Amino acid sequence: MSRLIVEGGRPLRGSVEISGAKNSALAIVVAAALATEGECVLDNIPRGSDVATICQILQDLGAEVWYDDQDRLHVKGQNLHKHQASYDLVRRMRASFYSAGLLLARLGRAEVPLPGGCAIGSRPVDYHIKGFSQLGADVTIEHGYMKAEAGRLKGSHIYINRASVGTTINLMIAASLAEGTTVLENAAKEPEVVDLAIFLNGMGAKVRGAGTDSIRIEGVETLRGIEYSIIPDRIEAGTFMLAAAITGGDIVLKSVVAEHLRVPIVKLEEAGVTITRGDNELHVVAPNRLQAVDVETLPYPGFPTDLQQPFVAAMCVAEGTSVIRETIFDRFRYVDELRRMGADIKTEQNTAIVRGVPQLTGAPVEITDLRAGAALAIAALAAQGRTELYGVEILDRGYEFFEDKLRQLGAQIYRE
Ligand code: EPZ
């Protein structure tokens, strides 16, 4: 089990290149296998273990997936022929359930293991399954698998009970090749949903309204491969902004879309951080000490749940008390680890009350989930002394070259 060692107390300085969005890559790599003509060539795909897993799943199902010497990912879906996804692969990562939408669209049937819960709570896929049934699939749940038979899916008017990113993405993938028109009401509006829609339309799909809460998909007969570059990762960008904020740093983020970070920018400015927008760049200058700020996580365009944990870490050393309400998941387990570094945090149901302390101290800590790892790394960068982060392979799921990028910004961080 490798670990990250951090000597805290150094302000971050310099510029950092933001990678492609993990949550866009996972959707678009699966959607690329919908094409039965040509192949997709995908650029700006981040190298992380989650992306590697989704590529393995596609290969297991019969698609051809490979990187070329310019680090672009090729996906050729013609030979997709296996309708059962392997438990050993699916169990590693929840977004593997997107393979259900792909298999129903391409093969008319799917046998996919139900993803279990994870460290941020039980994450059911009941909305996905209800949507597949409404698209005409005959769905049964047995032995931990979803089994669905459909022949060709038929367009339908679907209301998604909560603005669910995964459900919106899975049903967009399934409906693209359905017969007739599908409408997704109360759809998620995340940038990753919009990125997927633009990609699908480039392949010949007819998706309208992505980015609003009503998406209309007119099914087509076939989709063809295209070249495409995915959007930058707004959550990685927010993570680095918070790392600069907590360390009194001064950094430039390159290859970012400021519009995707509108609310996190507002909240960081309230905390005293100066943020200047450049051309696909953000210049982030931290104050000597952050001011406490209240946050409530909401579906996009609200404050993203994936930045809740890094934000709480930054608030641990702010002046004053901040109240953080988490409305999407159950993701406060990492608070126990922050307390071991001297944080003063009380949690009641889905709310954390963070009383700022002058300084955190380094400690050995356990990474429980991807964004908890980001939060603990941020705390370690500002803590007095040495922090050892165990379970760093969890960070590798969604942050490309994480410690290398931090080291380039002057952090004393290395992997053992
Ligand atoms: C996606 O997860 C992201 N993952 C998550 O990022 C992100 O936190 C989340 O969206 C919210 O933005 C990927 O894109 C791979 P949801 P997803 O469906 O799709 C409930 C990260 O760190 N729900 O929008 O699983 C659900 O329990 C990860 O990169 C149902 O009840 O999230 C939650 O309370 C963590 N039934 C709410 O909806 C369903 O069938 C929103 O979940 C589906 C969802």
Side-chain angles (χ1 to χ4, degrees), residues 194-237:
V194 176
D195 207 17
L196 172 63
I198 295 168
F199 172 67
L200 285 169
N201 287 339
M203 291 206 289
K206 292 181 179 153
V207 182
R208 298 291 175 268
T212 74
D213 53 17
S214 177
I215 299 178
R216 184 185 180 80
I217 303 140
E218 207 179 311
V220 296
E221 295 300 318
T222 55
L223 294 171
R224 62 189 171 282
I226 57 164
E227 298 200 3
Y228 191 77
S229 182
I230 70 169
I231 55 171
D233 195 316
R234 61 195 169 98
I235 305 302
E236 183 196 19

Side-chain angles (χ1 to χ4, degrees), residues 50 91-94 115-124 305-306 308-309 326 328-337 349 366-374 376 390-391 394-395 397:
D50 276 3
R91 61 188 279 276
R92 294 183 204 167
M93 197 247 317
R94 305 179 42 71
C118 75
I120 59 173
S122 83
R123 295 169 64 189
T305 175
D306 291 345
Q308 176 259 104
Q309 293 149 294
E326 169 57 64
I328 312 283
F329 288 119
D330 167 16
R331 59 193 311 177
F332 281 134
R333 265 183 60 192
Y334 70 104
V335 164
D336 292 328
E337 298 302 304
Q349 275 105 19
E366 188 70 38
I367 293 174
T368 48
D369 63 86
L370 176 60
R371 308 304 176 182
L376 292 169
Y390 288 79
I394 295 176
L395 264 177
R397 294 186 54 169

Side-chain angles (χ1 to χ4, degrees), residues 22-23 123-127 162 164-166 306 328-329 371:
K22 165 182 79 85
N23 292 345
R123 295 169 64 189
V125 285
D126 50 328
Y127 304 161
R162 286 183 70 167
S164 153
V165 173
D306 291 345
I328 312 283
F329 288 119
R371 308 304 176 182

Side-chain angles (χ1 to χ4, degrees), residues 82 358 377:
K82 189 178 157 208

